Amino acid sequence: MKKKLISLILTLIQLSVDFSIVAASISLVIVIILVASTPFTGFAHELFDYHSWWSLVLQAVTASVLVFLAIIMFVGVHSLLRNINSGLYFVNQNLVAVRQILWPSLVVFVLQSLASICFRL
């Protein structure tokens, strides 16, 4: 009973991660469309903090990179949960999945720090 409950909880978490992957992929497409249409529309000026045209494009590109890195992290979480739900705890695939989560997290931290410094100046 306890194993089935844990398996059910892990499956539900995995489904929510799958939903997050789909939602992040859709938002990535939307952000890429906004990046492509940034110079031509006023809609992007309302979404991003507008100081100059280059600032607007840089913010849109940064947003798309962050969403792409979030997708990579979600895929790593998905594979880690799949392995744990299958009973594979100490395998090399879990180490690869943890690396797939940690490296984009580090890049997101650095990008957010740089963006915070640049856009405050």
Side-chain angles (χ1 to χ4, degrees):
M1 178 69 181
K2 187 176 179 181
K3 279 191 166 197
K4 287 185 180 184
L5 181 65
I6 291 173
S7 177
L8 176 68
I9 291 171
L10 285 174
T11 303
L12 291 175
I13 294 171
Q14 192 173 3
L15 286 175
S16 68
V17 169
D18 291 342
F19 176 74
S20 298
I21 291 171
V22 171
S25 299
I26 291 170
S27 67
L28 180 64
V29 170
I30 291 171
V31 168
I32 288 173
I33 290 171
L34 283 177
V35 168
S37 65
T38 294
F40 309 111
T41 64
F43 178 70
H45 296 278
E46 296 173 10
L47 282 177
F48 301 106
D49 187 22
Y50 179 68
H51 297 292
S52 68
W53 183 81
W54 289 106
S55 172
L56 189 64
V57 171
L58 185 62
Q59 287 182 41
V61 169
T62 303
S64 63
V65 168
L66 292 176
V67 171
F68 179 72
L69 291 172
I71 291 171
I72 292 173
M73 287 188 290
F74 284 139
V75 169
V77 170
H78 172 79
S79 63
L80 187 65
L81 286 172
R82 184 185 63 231
N83 288 341
I84 290 173
N85 204 11
S86 299
L88 303 171
Y89 302 110
F90 300 105
V91 293
N92 193 26
Q93 297 159 345
N94 288 347
L95 182 62
V96 171
V98 169
R99 284 184 191 155
Q100 196 174 7
I101 296 167
L102 292 179
W103 281 108
S105 300
L106 178 66
V107 173
V108 165
F109 175 73
V110 170
L111 279 177
Q112 285 290 81
S113 300
L114 290 175
S116 178
I117 290 169
C118 289
F119 296 130
R120 291 289 178 184
L121 298 176

